[in-house]
Each structure stands twice: as C-alpha cells, then as structure tokens.
C-alpha cells in the first residue's frame, strides 16, 4: 500500500483520533453482531500497548445530523470494554469543551469512545469547521474504518487534512486483500455477483469483466439477463431498461474470453413467503404468474464446480432470497462450495453475502470477509475511496 500506516508512526504519549466503523446491527439497545468491533481490536490493542491516548470515533445508523437516543454509542462502548478487557470511557458528545477536558485527563493507554459523529450535521457534509474541531482533539489521525472509507465525511476525510493521517491495521488488511485480488489475482479468478438489482451492480460487473476468468451472475439480477436471452420471467424481478445492458455484458464477456455463467434453472414461487408453493423450472419455462426466488439444483451444481476449480473467488450479493429458508439453497450452495474449496482463496464482499455466510455458520471457512458492504463494492468498481485517498502517502 502506498499510504502510511500505524507501522510508520510512533504513538507513545500521543492523542490519537482513531476513526472506526462501529456501525453495527442493534436490537432493543443491544449489539446483535459485534464483527466490526472485533475487527477493529488489533488497531485499538496496538494503540493501547504503545501508550497512546486512544480516542475512538464512529457513526451508528443514519441519524441525519440530530441526536437520536437509540443511536448513541453507549452499548457499543460497553461491548468494546468487554472485548478489550479494560475500562473504556464514553463521552456524550464528539467534540467541544467537555470532550477536551476528558481527553486532558486521559493517561497513556486509556480508551475513550466519542458520541456518534453523525449526530452533527457537519459530519456528512464534510464541514471544514467540524473536521478542524475533530483534529484539535488529537495529535494523530488513524483511519481504521474501511466500511466507511467510501464516504467523504468530516471524520473519515476532512480531518485527515489537518493532522498526520495514517491507515489502521484493518484498513490496511482490507485494502491489501482487495487490491491483490483485483490487480494480481491467482487464476482461475472467479467473481460471483448476485443481489437484487442490475442497476446497483453495473459498474462492478463492467470492471470485473476486464479482470476475471469466470463471471457468475445470480440472485434477482439474473432475471434481467434471462429476459435478455429472450425468455419470459413471469413476476420475477426485472429491470426492463437494463435488458440491453445485460446483453452488452454478455457480449463483453465473449469478447474478453470470460466464461459467463447465469442460471439454467430456477426455483419459482407463487408468493414471496416461506410457505409459498414452489417448483423448479428451466429458465425457458418460467410460468407467467410465478416469481423466481432462488437458483435451481442444476445451476447450483454448475456454480459449485466453477468455484471448486478456481484459485480465487470474490463474491458480492446473494443467489436468492436467502433470508427466507425456502429460497436459501442457492446462496447456501455457493457458501458451501467456497467452504469446501480449501485451495481457493475466498473474499466475501461484505453486506448481505457476509450476513449469509454467518447465517449458514460458514464464516470461519472463508479466507476474508470484508467489513465493508458499500466500500468493498465501490473498491471492486475500481473507484477511489476518499477515506483512503486523504491519508498521508508513504
Ligand atoms: N430472485 C430474487 N428476487 C428478489 N430478491 C432477491 C432475489 N435474489 C436475491 N434477492 C435479494 O437481494 C437482496 C440483496 O441484494 P442487494 O442488491 O440489496 O444487496 P447486496 O447485493 O447484498 O449488496 P451488499 O452485499 O453489498 O450488501 C437480498 O435481500 C435478497 O433477498
Ligand atoms: O454499514 C456500512 O456500509 C458503513 O458503515 C457505511 O454506512 P452508511 O452506508 O450509512 O454510510
């Protein structure tokens, strides 16, 4: 990586403003998935061990510049305290006089969690004054929030222009894995793109077609491709205005010598529910009143074979409506094939695909599960991440 990291600086006795992504799922005031907190531990532990005064900042949810009681970071700070096994203080604001006083009284190795940075309208606007106010709290800025690196906000981008700014260990690892995958991949290299809409995946499919050996299309976006082949898709998800684009992707695959895989059979249902009537049909025979919600058994077998014969697989987006058990088999087949393919390096692109492998209990069998949904997608699209660009060059 051409950016400075924690390894390049001495933090002893320094006040370190460390941006993390503690945007974790919550229910009834409790953290329901602490993956992102755990992922930030190596950086936090390093800062503690090196004797820094550790000031942690994060957003939680989308409070839109206002204080939303349920989106305070108090429960998150409690989880962090339990995971770190040491006291973690929590401020009720993210900058200002009170916060300054708390920081003045910190000792080396102390940890403080600031309040949700999105309680302030200036955060998402990347307001220069707010960025300066954050910077005044600290001597050094560490960005470990890969999941928020695609956002140019005051605590992810603006602050980096005021004090020395480096990447944390999680940020470094995420960028290393994803850049190696895209710039110097082990081959055969397979990308699996699923999820709901073609429109959200246009740039990622386009960019991947220049890099991969195999492209697998699945999930709701398959139906626009099935329609592009001239078949009817019944009540399945279809983006009429993207049919020509789907055709152009198939042509680009051919031109680039990329093996293009899409479903050959699908599971259709008469209702969007677990108790729906279902049948498996080939893509030429989707009944007009039914909706395709999962990959069929032949498709699953083909996808599993491609995966097992790959050296590197990156996966973004589920193969069906995996949240409903009746339609989870396609997504599960992909997750299981990745788990069984021990010679294959698997990169799960955050978001729903990460939730799916968790749900199937296969998370520990994957080589790398990104903590970034939107961020990993934008990276795979070939876009620069503002939170990374703003860091100091090596
Ligand atoms: N055949 C289908 N019909 C309708 N919805 C589908 C189908 N297959 C998958 N989905 C839904 O797609 C949703 C996820 O797709 P979406 O494009 O929103 O995000 P994603 O691809 O998971 O992106 P990320 O992984 O970055 O969060 C899931 O909720 C899943 O139920
Ligand atoms: O959950 C995420 O993808 C990140 O924390 C970014 O959150 P955002 O989409 O609300 O900016």
């Amino acid at each position: 990586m051409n950016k400075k990291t924690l390894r390049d600086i001495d933090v002893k006795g320094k006040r370190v403003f460390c941006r993390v992504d503690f945007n974790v799922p919550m229910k009834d005031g409790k953290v329901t998935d602490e993956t992102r907190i755990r992922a930030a531990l190596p950086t936090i532990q390093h800062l503690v061990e090196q004797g820094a005064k550790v000031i942690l900042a994060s957003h939680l949810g989308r409070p839109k510049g206002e204080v939303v009681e349920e989106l305070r970071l108090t429960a998150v700070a409690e989880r962090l305290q339990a995971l770190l096994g040491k006291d973690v203080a929590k401020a009720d604001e993210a900058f200002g006089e009170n916060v300054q006083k708390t920081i003045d009284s910190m000792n080396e190795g102390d940890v403080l969690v600031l309040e949700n940075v999105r309680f302030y309208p200036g955060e998402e606007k990347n307001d220069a004054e707010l960025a300066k106010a954050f910077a005044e709290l600290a001597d050094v800025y560490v960005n470990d929030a890969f999941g928020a690196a695609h956002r140019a906000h005051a605590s992810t981008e603006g602050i980096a222009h005021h004090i020395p700014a480096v990447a944390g260990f999680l940020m470094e690892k995420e960028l290393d894995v994803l850049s190696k995958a895209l710039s110097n991949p082990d081959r055969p290299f397979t990308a699996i793109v699923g999820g709901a809409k073609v429109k959200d995946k246009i740039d990622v499919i386009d960019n991947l077609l220049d890099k991969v050996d195999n492209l697998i299309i699945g999930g709701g976006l398959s139906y626009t491709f099935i329609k592009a082949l001239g078949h009817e898709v019944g009540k399945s998800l279809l983006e009429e205005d993207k049919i020509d684009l789907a055709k152009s992707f198939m042509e680009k695959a051919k031109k680039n010598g990329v093996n293009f895989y899409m479903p050959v059979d699908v599971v259709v249902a008469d209702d969007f529910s677990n108790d729906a009537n279902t049948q498996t049909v080939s893509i030429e025979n989707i009944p007009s009143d039914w909706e395709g919600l999962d990959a069929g058994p032949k498709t699953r077998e083909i996808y599993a074979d491609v995966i097992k014969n790959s050296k590197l697989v990156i996966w973004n987006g589920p193969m069906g409506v995996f949240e409903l058990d009746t339609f989870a088999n396609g997504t599960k087949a992909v997750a299981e094939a990745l788990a069984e393919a021990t010679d294959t390096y698997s990169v799960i692109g955050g978001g729903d695909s990460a939730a799916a492998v968790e749900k199937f209990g296969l998370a520990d069998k994957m080589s790398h599960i990104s903590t970034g949904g939107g961020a990993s997608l934008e990276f795979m699209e070939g876009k620069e991440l503002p939170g990374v660009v703003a860091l100091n060059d090596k």
Side-chain angles (χ1 to χ4, degrees):
M1 193 168 71
N2 62 350
K3 293 291 177 182
K4 282 197 178 152
T5 75
L6 257 186
R7 277 172 244 282
D8 299 312
I9 56 164
D10 178 11
V11 294
K12 180 153 175 60
K14 301 232 171 89
R15 299 169 301 160
V16 176
F17 186 106
C18 180
R19 178 58 157 98
V20 286
D21 185 357
F22 284 169
N23 184 28
V24 291
M26 309 269 297
K27 199 166 179 219
D28 303 326
K30 294 226 161 63
V31 175
T32 54
D33 178 359
E34 60 194 28
T35 309
R36 280 180 165 171
I37 307 178
R38 282 182 187 279
L41 288 179
T43 290
I44 299 170
Q45 269 156 347
H46 172 87
L47 291 171
V48 169
E49 281 158 20
Q50 297 297 309
K53 297 173 185 172
V54 189
I55 306 158
L56 298 173
S58 178
H59 72 285
L60 175 62
R62 293 178 173 171
K64 302 203 168 80
E66 280 170 26
V67 175
V68 175
E69 288 303 324
E70 307 83 75
L71 295 178
R72 288 196 180 276
L73 281 165
T74 316
V76 172
E78 280 164 14
R79 277 316 299 150
L80 175 64
Q81 174 163 297
L83 290 168
L84 266 181
K86 80 183 268 20
D87 280 352
V88 169
K90 159 79 192 2
D92 292 331
E93 295 155 296
F95 69 99
E97 217 174 297
N98 292 334
V99 172
Q100 190 61 64
K101 271 193 201 138
T102 309
I103 293 173
D104 289 345
S105 67
M106 284 172 83
N107 293 313
E108 293 184 5
D110 283 355
V111 180
L112 170 70
V113 174
L114 300 178
E115 192 49 276
N116 190 341
V117 289
R118 287 197 187 164
F119 283 179
Y120 305 89
E123 166 65 5
E124 290 183 71
K125 291 189 190 128
N126 200 0
D127 177 69
E129 289 303 314
L130 183 60
K132 229 163 109 194
F134 286 149
E136 277 164 6
L137 299 175
D139 306 301
V140 178
Y141 173 67
V142 174
N143 192 351
D144 213 25
F146 173 73
H150 57 316
R151 308 285 182 218
H153 294 171
S155 71
T156 61
E157 203 273 347
I159 181 174
H161 299 289
H162 297 283
I163 46 178
V166 304
F169 295 139
L170 174 64
M171 178 71 92
E172 183 186 27
K173 183 174 160 210
E174 293 268 18
L175 294 172
D176 277 354
V177 170
L178 290 172
S179 19
K180 178 174 182 298
L182 293 185
S183 60
N184 183 21
D186 291 329
R187 296 186 181 277
F189 174 20
T190 299
I192 308 172
V193 182
K197 297 203 169 116
V198 180
K199 129 174 119 32
D200 299 335
K201 306 283 159 107
I202 294 173
D203 293 338
V204 83
I205 296 173
D206 194 37
N207 193 37
L208 289 171
L209 279 170
D210 291 325
K211 305 190 184 290
V212 299
D213 303 296
N214 306 307
L215 177 69
I216 292 178
I217 295 285
L221 54 87
S222 317
Y223 299 91
T224 304
F225 286 84
I226 293 172
K227 183 80 179 177
L229 289 181
H231 309 308
E232 291 310 319
V233 297
K235 294 210 156 74
S236 314
L237 201 67
L238 172 67
E239 289 169 272
E240 296 269 6
D241 59 336
K242 296 289 176 283
I243 296 171
D244 284 342
L245 185 73
K247 278 188 199 151
S248 76
F249 284 147
M250 291 190 261
E251 279 156 21
K252 181 168 177 182
K254 206 182 263 171
K255 190 172 130 258
N256 287 8
V258 172
N259 301 309
F260 182 87
Y261 299 90
M262 56 184 271
V264 293
D265 59 350
V266 292
V267 176
V268 295
D270 62 357
D271 186 27
F272 194 94
S273 81
N274 260 328
D275 325 310
N277 293 308
T278 63
Q279 50 177 317
T280 298
V281 294
S282 69
I283 56 165
E284 296 86 3
N285 295 312
I286 299 178
S288 59
D289 274 350
W290 295 58
E291 178 180 14
L293 295 179
D294 199 6
K298 282 196 195 122
T299 304
R300 286 177 234 154
E301 222 171 281
I302 296 169
Y303 289 5
D305 257 4
V306 176
I307 290 167
K308 286 177 188 163
N309 288 311
S310 301
K311 278 273 177 295
L312 169 68
V313 177
I314 58 178
W315 177 20
N316 181 284
M319 298 291 99
V321 183
F322 75 100
E323 298 93 335
L324 299 176
D325 288 345
T326 310
F327 309 107
N329 291 326
T331 308
K332 198 168 180 189
V334 163
E336 281 173 349
L338 285 171
E340 283 161 26
T342 44
D343 281 344
T344 307
Y345 193 88
S346 49
V347 180
I348 315 301
D352 278 310
S353 329
V357 292
E358 269 306 328
K359 176 179 160 142
F360 304 135
L362 296 170
D364 61 342
K365 299 275 195 320
M366 303 298 140
S367 315
H368 179 78
I369 301 182
S370 176
T371 52
S376 67
L377 199 62
E378 290 203 15
F379 192 93
M380 287 190 237
E381 287 168 4
K383 291 189 183 143
E384 298 217 85
L385 306 178
V388 178
V389 175
L391 299 176
N392 300 153
D393 291 330
K394 269 224 162 106

